[in-house]
């Protein structure tokens, strides 16, 4: 580490999101370009920097700042330079010179301690004197706060967030209850707050610490798909997190309940603990479903006659179950249509569109992801949008928010008579709540999906719960149509779902099994398939072929596979810029995935010469893209997602991206690829199950290739054990029905 001291001559570039700054420092001997995260540093200020010299390929030698200290100006020249730099609004070079000429070396003390004396100078009124002093105080207070926060091990970027939230209150907050940070500041969870609290001397059995841990455990459970946790599980998890036994937790749960942070429900001989938002959303979702669940009298003969006309016009014919789906969609305000691959869900949707269109009704089509919406558009010929875009995202939104952040809601509902949503298995409880909030009673909501797919990434099992409630009309499509039955992908998917053995003799045209038992050999074959065999076989680009694996960790987990696949599919190249972020290297040309919902991230679609022709917000968990540019100077990465949506990420935002040459089967939900490759060895029993294998196989359109152990493959078919999700939507729907609040 080297040390530099001087004043900041000028700032070349500053990223307002993360504080990354490029500036010129003037020392006694030289002018040096310096880079680093320097959020509250300004032109004219005297600083002491620690860091090291680096060589930039385009900009030459630079000094990379690791830490810095802002020093108050001491001599007359330093004071004049600081005041005249523009750091103090309303003070330019000429006025700064007059101040220093009048007060000389005492100038800075006068501003801080006797600001009224500034009015002695021509051109400074009493009011302007106060404004100058206030700005100096604010900058001084901010510096003191930053130094104070650093002693708790808080990073500069987090310190900025904390100061912006609390201002001078930060001292009280950190000394009384550092766990308040976890409640108030996005990005601060229990672990960060706990680390700060330990440095601040908070006891391990502090009431604040225990309550924060309980709430954090509920939030983490939501990330695992749970809407609530049984009390005993909550106590066990919180105790492990805290490292202290929790023998008497009732008082803390009662306090959290009084504070309206949690809800305690005693039912089915079990205490269920919800976060308040999760409970409200589950109850409200059930109530809105019940409101929509109305039925009317219909003339089935007339409907069947109209179906026959549509069949004649389109040349496609429906079986009895598909006709039942059309009749029920006319009869009911709420309907679920469920079925596996090849059972005619798309044909049914197309018939529904034709039927309702002939009635002069306004129809909206939607799906949870961009890829699923694109497929729906291609299959129907009608525009389908993501649910988020249909609801018109308007601003900040948390993953655990109900409907805030959408322009379409109860006050501004969707303008439609019929709404058809595909891939419903992917819809979590929060997105379902936001959707229902924008649907008025009398609008038909038709939910289409495969109940045997994996549940949503977010909390809840919405589709399964609605079906299992037994209170909502459901039509199950079971017949595999002739064209689909010619595909072994479809046939084998249904065999897997029924627990039957699949032929692995490789006589198929679209389903192959390459038996191997060594992880490195499996990876070698996967690389060969992607680079050489499959692109020609399915007439697709290498990037369109997706590797799906059950796990994140291990020899065939996502993390190891992506490192290896990147080296072979997008190796280092002097013409490709790259950036190392944590354990990952991002390189231009890399295939990447967004791994969390970001409702504020802006995107644009660019026309000729890079001119934006459309703009919007929102990139979501599971969206796939390609890195088009890495700007080493501005420290921004440009990613192109589906539909040519271009997004710029600051380096600090790259924690939301990961390489996606291989993705977990769970993350592939709602997507369809020309070909999938599934490397398969052993894994945890709860994970290696029928549900997971079925989902992986049904992601392929033209070809499935499994490379691995046939014993594991057959074990997964036999294993029906799934990780339990703690949800109670089905119970809520039944309760409301029994209370007479559902039709």
């Amino acid at each position: 580490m080297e040390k530099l001291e001087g004043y900041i001559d000028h700032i070349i570039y500053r990223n307002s999101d993360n504080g990354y700054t490029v500036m010129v420092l003037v020392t006694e001997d030289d002018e040096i370009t310096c880079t680093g995260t320097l959020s509250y540093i300004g032109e004219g200020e005297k600083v002491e920097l620690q860091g090291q010299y680096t060589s930039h390929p385009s900009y030459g030698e630079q000094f990379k700042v690791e830490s810095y200290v802002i020093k108050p100006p001491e001599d007359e020249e330093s004071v004049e330079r600081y005041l005249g730099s523009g750091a103090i609004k309303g003070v330019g070079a000429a006025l700064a010179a007059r101040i220093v000429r009048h007060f000389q070396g005492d100038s800075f003390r006068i501003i801080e301690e006797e600001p009224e004396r500034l009015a002695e100078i021509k051109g400074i009124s009493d009011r302007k004197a106060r404004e100058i002093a206030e700005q100096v105080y604010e900058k001084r207070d901010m510096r003191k706060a930053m130094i104070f926060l650093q002693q708790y091990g808080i990073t500069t970027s987090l310190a900025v967030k904390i100061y912006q939230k609390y201002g001078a209150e930060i001292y009280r907050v950190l000394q009384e209850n550092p766990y308040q940070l976890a409640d108030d500041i996005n990005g601060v969870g229990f672990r960060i707050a706990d680390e700060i609290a330990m440095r601040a001397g908070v006891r391990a059995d502090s009431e604040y610490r225990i309550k924060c841990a309980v709430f954090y455990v509920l939030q983490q459970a939501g990330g695992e798909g749970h809407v609530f946790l049984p009390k005993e599980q909550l106590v066990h998890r919180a105790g492990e997190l805290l490292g202290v036994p929790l023998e008497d937790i009732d008082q803390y749960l009662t306090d959290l309940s009084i504070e309206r942070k949690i809800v305690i429900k005693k039912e089915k001989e079990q205490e269920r603990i919800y976060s308040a938002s999760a409970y409200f959303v589950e109850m409200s979702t059930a109530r809105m479903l019940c409101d929509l669940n109305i039925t009317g009298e219909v003339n089935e003969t007339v409907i069947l006659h109209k179906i026959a006309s549509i069949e004649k016009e389109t040349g496609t014919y429906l079986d009895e179950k598909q006709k039942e789906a059309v009749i029920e969609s006319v009869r009911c305000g709420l309907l679920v249509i469920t079925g596996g691959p090849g059972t005619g869900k798309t044909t049914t949707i197309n018939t529904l569109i034709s039927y309702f269109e002939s009635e002069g009704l306004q129809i909206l089509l939607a799906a949870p992801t961009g890829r699923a919406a694109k497929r729906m558009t291609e299959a129907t010929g009608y525009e389908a949008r993501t649910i988020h875009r249909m609801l018109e995202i308007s601003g900040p939104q948390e993953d655990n928010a109900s409907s805030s952040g959408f322009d379409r809601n109860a006050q501004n509902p969707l303008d439609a008579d019929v709404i058809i949503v595909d891939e419903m298995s992917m819809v979590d409880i929060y997105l379902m709540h936001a959707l229902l909030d924008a649907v008025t009673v009398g609008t038909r909501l038709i939910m289409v999906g495969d109940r045997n797919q994996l549940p949503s990434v977010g909390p809840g099992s919405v589709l399964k719960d609605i079906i299992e409630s037994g209170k909502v009309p459901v039509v199950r499509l079971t017949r595999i149509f002739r064209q689909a039955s010619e595909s072994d992908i479809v046939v084998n998917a249904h065999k897997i779902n029924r627990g039957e053995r699949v032929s692995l003799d490789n006589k198929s045209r679209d389903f192959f099994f390459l038996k191997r038992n060594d992880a490195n050999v499996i990876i070698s074959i996967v690389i060969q398939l992607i680079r050489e065999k499959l692109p020609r076989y399915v007439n697709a680009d290498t990037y369109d072929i997706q590797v799906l694996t059950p796990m994140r960790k291990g020899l065939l987990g996502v993390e190891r596979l992506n490192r290896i696949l990147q080296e072979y599919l997008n190796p280092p190249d002097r013409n490709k810029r790259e950036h190392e972020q944590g354990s990952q290297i991002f390189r231009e040309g890399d295939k990447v995935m967004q791994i969390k919902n970001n409702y504020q991230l802006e995107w644009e679609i660019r026309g000729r010469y890079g001119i934006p022709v459309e703009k919007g917000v929102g990139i979501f968990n599971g969206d796939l893209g390609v890195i088009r540019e890495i700007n080493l100077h501005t420290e921004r990465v440009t990613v192109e997602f589906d539909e040519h949506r271009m997004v710029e990420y600051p380096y600090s935002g790259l924690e939301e991206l990961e390489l996606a040459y291989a993705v977990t089967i769970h993350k592939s939900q709602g997507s369809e690829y020309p070909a999938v490759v599934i490397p398969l060895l052993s894994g945890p029993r709860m994970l290696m199950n029928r549900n997971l294998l079925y989902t992986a196989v049904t992601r392929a359109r033209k070809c499935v290739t499994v490379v691995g152990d046939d014993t594991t493959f057959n074990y997964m078919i036999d294993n029906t054990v799934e990780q339990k999700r703690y949800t109670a939507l089905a119970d809520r729907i039944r309760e409301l029905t029994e209370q007479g609040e559902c039709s």
Side-chain angles (χ1 to χ4, degrees):
M1 298 284 281
E2 298 192 50
K3 190 179 288 187
L4 293 178
E5 189 171 310
Y7 71 90
I8 299 163
D9 184 68
H10 64 281
I11 291 173
I12 300 170
Y13 169 81
R14 170 165 285 153
N15 184 318
S16 58
D17 293 334
N18 59 12
Y20 174 77
T21 303
V22 181
M23 66 187 188
V24 173
L25 183 79
V26 176
T27 66
E28 286 185 0
D29 308 314
D30 204 357
E31 289 189 0
I32 301 160
T33 301
C34 302
T35 66
T37 301
L38 309 154
S39 301
Y40 281 114
I41 214 166
E43 292 177 349
E45 292 189 292
K46 188 175 181 181
V47 292
E48 183 182 283
L49 310 176
Q50 279 197 318
Q52 53 193 350
Y53 284 97
T54 60
S55 181
H56 191 284
S58 303
Y59 305 107
E61 189 176 66
Q62 298 179 335
F63 189 78
K64 187 174 181 180
V65 180
E66 300 293 338
S67 64
Y68 67 94
V69 175
I70 301 172
K71 296 196 162 187
E74 295 159 352
D75 55 63
E76 292 179 23
E77 184 185 352
S78 297
V79 173
E80 184 176 337
R81 185 186 299 116
Y82 174 68
L83 292 175
S85 69
I88 305 298
K89 189 178 177 183
V91 179
L95 187 54
R98 290 207 299 276
I99 293 171
V100 173
R101 207 162 39 240
H102 188 80
F103 295 114
Q104 299 178 345
D106 210 22
S107 299
F108 216 72
R109 187 196 66 77
I110 294 290
I111 293 171
E112 288 194 327
E113 297 177 13
E114 302 177 76
E116 69 279 359
R117 289 189 58 192
L118 290 172
E120 296 172 13
I121 296 165
K122 186 179 178 182
I124 300 181
S125 63
D126 289 341
R127 180 181 172 185
K128 189 162 190 174
R130 286 194 301 273
E131 288 174 353
I132 291 169
E134 283 170 6
Q135 289 185 66
V136 171
Y137 292 153
E138 186 181 344
K139 288 179 179 291
R140 182 191 63 190
D141 291 346
M142 184 170 56
R143 287 173 189 153
K144 281 174 63 181
M146 300 297 272
I147 292 166
F148 173 76
L149 292 170
Q150 283 170 8
Q151 73 182 345
Y152 292 101
I154 296 170
T155 63
T156 303
S157 57
L158 182 54
V160 171
K161 281 186 181 179
I162 294 171
Y163 184 79
Q164 288 173 340
K165 172 68 180 176
Y166 300 118
E169 283 288 290
I170 60 169
Y171 307 102
R172 180 191 62 76
V173 170
L174 288 188
Q175 286 164 358
E176 288 183 8
N177 177 20
Y179 295 99
Q180 190 176 332
L181 297 175
D183 288 342
D184 295 344
I185 297 175
N186 190 27
V188 177
F190 172 80
R191 294 186 188 280
I192 293 175
D194 199 38
E195 190 176 327
I196 294 168
M198 293 300 104
R199 288 174 183 258
V202 175
R203 290 169 45 198
D205 61 352
S206 155
E207 172 191 348
Y208 291 130
R209 184 171 187 251
I210 293 171
K211 284 157 67 173
C212 185
V214 167
F215 197 67
Y216 176 76
V217 166
L218 285 177
Q219 289 178 313
Q220 292 297 103
E224 298 164 20
H226 305 301
V227 179
F228 68 86
L229 279 180
K231 180 183 172 183
E232 60 273 14
Q233 274 218 33
L234 177 68
V235 172
H236 175 71
R237 289 193 188 195
E240 282 193 335
L241 180 66
L242 291 162
V244 295
L246 288 177
E247 294 169 359
D248 182 19
I249 198 175
D250 287 346
Q251 68 179 85
Y252 304 111
L253 294 179
T254 301
D255 288 347
L256 285 167
S257 179
I258 291 168
E259 293 166 19
R260 298 188 176 182
K261 288 187 174 180
I262 68 168
V263 173
I264 305 167
K265 284 283 287 183
K266 294 183 179 179
E267 48 195 354
K268 295 191 173 180
E269 300 179 356
Q270 178 187 68
E271 277 191 272
R272 297 173 173 178
I273 315 296
Y274 291 81
S275 69
S277 64
Y279 180 75
F280 164 77
V281 164
E282 190 173 75
M283 276 297 298
S284 184
T285 298
R287 186 171 297 281
M288 289 188 288
L289 284 167
C290 283
D291 290 343
L292 292 176
N293 191 19
I294 54 180
T295 57
E297 294 296 322
V298 296
N299 188 323
E300 292 190 16
T301 305
V302 172
I303 297 172
L304 289 169
H305 180 72
K306 188 166 281 192
I307 291 172
S309 298
I310 294 169
E311 288 176 322
K312 187 175 180 181
E313 187 179 325
T314 60
T316 56
Y317 294 89
L318 277 59
D319 72 357
E320 291 307 309
K321 280 291 180 184
Q322 289 173 307
K323 289 175 183 175
E324 181 189 339
V326 177
I327 292 168
E328 290 301 300
S329 71
V330 178
R331 188 199 316 274
C332 305
L334 191 65
L335 177 68
V336 173
I337 301 172
T338 183
T343 56
K345 293 191 297 292
T346 299
T347 301
T348 306
I349 290 172
N350 282 330
T351 306
L352 290 172
I353 292 169
S354 297
Y355 185 95
F356 289 122
E357 205 174 37
S358 72
E359 296 284 301
L361 301 183
Q362 178 72 27
I363 306 162
L364 290 179
L365 306 183
T369 67
R371 284 184 166 234
K374 187 178 179 183
R375 276 208 331 276
M376 199 178 185
T377 298
E378 291 167 351
T380 64
Y382 286 78
E383 183 195 7
R385 290 175 288 172
T386 63
I387 297 171
H388 295 91
R389 289 184 74 177
M390 181 175 74
L391 295 177
E392 298 173 19
I393 301 169
S394 59
Q397 188 183 76
E398 300 292 334
D399 273 348
N400 63 352
S402 52
S403 59
S404 61
F406 291 114
D407 276 345
R408 294 292 184 172
N409 48 44
Q411 287 70 47
N412 182 30
L414 291 164
D415 183 17
D417 301 301
V418 181
I419 300 171
I420 303 174
V421 182
D422 199 7
E423 294 287 359
M424 269 298 301
S425 62
M426 295 182 65
V427 177
D428 66 36
I429 191 71
Y430 290 104
L431 185 57
M432 188 66 187
H433 182 270
L435 172 62
L436 292 170
D437 195 43
V439 179
T440 55
V441 175
T443 298
R444 290 179 175 85
L445 178 61
I446 301 166
M447 299 169 283
V448 184
D450 183 348
R451 63 160 292 162
N452 294 307
Q453 296 283 355
L454 289 169
S456 57
V457 174
S461 297
V462 172
L463 181 63
K464 280 187 178 178
D465 283 355
I466 291 173
I467 293 170
E468 287 174 10
S469 74
K471 303 300 180 183
V472 175
V474 178
V475 177
R476 294 172 172 82
L477 305 179
T478 54
R479 176 188 165 194
I480 304 174
F481 285 84
R482 185 182 60 79
Q483 190 175 352
S485 68
E486 294 172 1
S487 163
D488 285 321
I489 295 173
V490 172
V491 171
N492 289 341
H494 283 276
K495 284 184 176 179
I496 290 167
N497 195 37
R498 293 192 297 265
E500 298 172 6
R501 285 288 177 267
V502 170
S503 173
L504 305 179
D505 59 10
N506 289 330
K507 292 180 180 178
S508 170
R509 290 177 300 172
D510 60 8
F511 194 100
F512 304 99
F513 198 105
L514 306 180
K515 297 179 185 179
R516 302 292 188 277
N517 290 292
D518 181 274
N520 291 328
V521 173
I522 290 171
I523 293 171
S524 165
I525 291 172
V526 168
I527 292 166
Q528 187 182 22
L529 286 167
I530 296 171
R531 290 172 69 182
E532 301 168 22
K533 306 288 187 184
L534 288 173
R536 289 196 304 263
Y537 190 73
V538 297
N539 191 28
D541 188 83
T542 299
Y543 278 60
D544 292 327
I545 295 160
Q546 189 61 56
V547 178
L548 303 180
T549 181
M551 297 164 292
R552 289 199 58 80
K553 306 285 186 183
L555 294 175
L556 293 178
V558 161
E559 292 173 8
R560 181 169 186 250
L561 281 171
N562 272 321
R563 286 195 299 271
I564 296 171
L565 291 171
Q566 182 190 42
E567 286 301 302
Y568 284 91
L569 301 178
N570 189 32
D573 187 311
R574 59 182 299 182
N575 296 316
K576 290 183 177 180
R577 285 164 290 194
E578 58 183 52
H579 169 69
E580 188 170 349
Q581 181 86 3
S583 61
Q584 292 189 106
I585 293 173
F586 290 109
R587 186 174 296 132
E588 288 175 339
D590 272 336
K591 185 177 180 180
V592 292
M593 174 183 277
Q594 175 81 8
I595 58 171
K596 64 176 286 190
N597 288 337
N598 188 326
Y599 300 90
Q600 297 167 274
L601 203 53
E602 296 179 354
W603 53 262
E604 61 183 29
I605 297 172
R606 298 170 184 170
R608 292 184 67 185
Y609 312 113
I611 298 171
V613 295
E614 186 182 347
K615 292 186 177 183
V617 292
I619 298 294
F620 304 107
N621 194 348
D623 283 356
L624 286 174
V626 176
I627 295 177
R628 296 302 183 197
E629 182 187 8
I630 298 177
N631 190 319
L632 300 173
H633 182 61
T634 62
E635 298 201 340
R636 297 184 83 81
V637 176
T638 303
V639 178
E640 181 179 358
F641 287 97
D642 289 337
E643 301 172 322
H644 307 293
R645 292 173 297 155
M646 309 296 285
V647 177
E648 285 193 0
Y649 291 82
Y651 281 179
S652 61
L654 292 179
E655 62 192 21
E656 296 186 5
L657 288 178
E658 67 180 21
L659 295 174
Y661 298 99
V663 302
T664 61
I665 295 167
H666 217 132
K667 287 281 190 184
S668 72
Q669 287 180 94
S671 295
E672 190 177 76
Y673 313 96
V676 300
V677 181
I678 308 169
L680 206 59
L681 277 177
S682 58
R685 181 169 178 265
M686 289 295 289
L687 197 60
M688 309 296 279
N689 59 37
R690 181 186 298 175
N691 195 215
L692 196 82
L693 183 60
Y694 173 79
T695 299
V697 169
T698 54
R699 297 307 89 207
R701 189 163 60 247
K702 295 182 180 178
C703 182
V704 170
T705 308
V706 184
V707 188
D709 181 14
D710 57 331
T711 304
T712 299
F713 182 85
N714 288 322
Y715 170 79
M716 290 179 77
I717 293 174
D718 294 336
N719 182 19
T720 57
V721 176
E722 298 174 31
Q723 184 175 2
K724 179 175 175 54
R725 283 200 168 194
Y726 293 109
T727 74
L729 181 61
D731 293 340
R732 302 281 91 86
I733 294 169
R734 283 192 288 262
E735 277 175 15
L736 291 171
T737 306
E738 288 160 11
Q739 292 165 10
E741 297 188 38
C742 271
S743 59

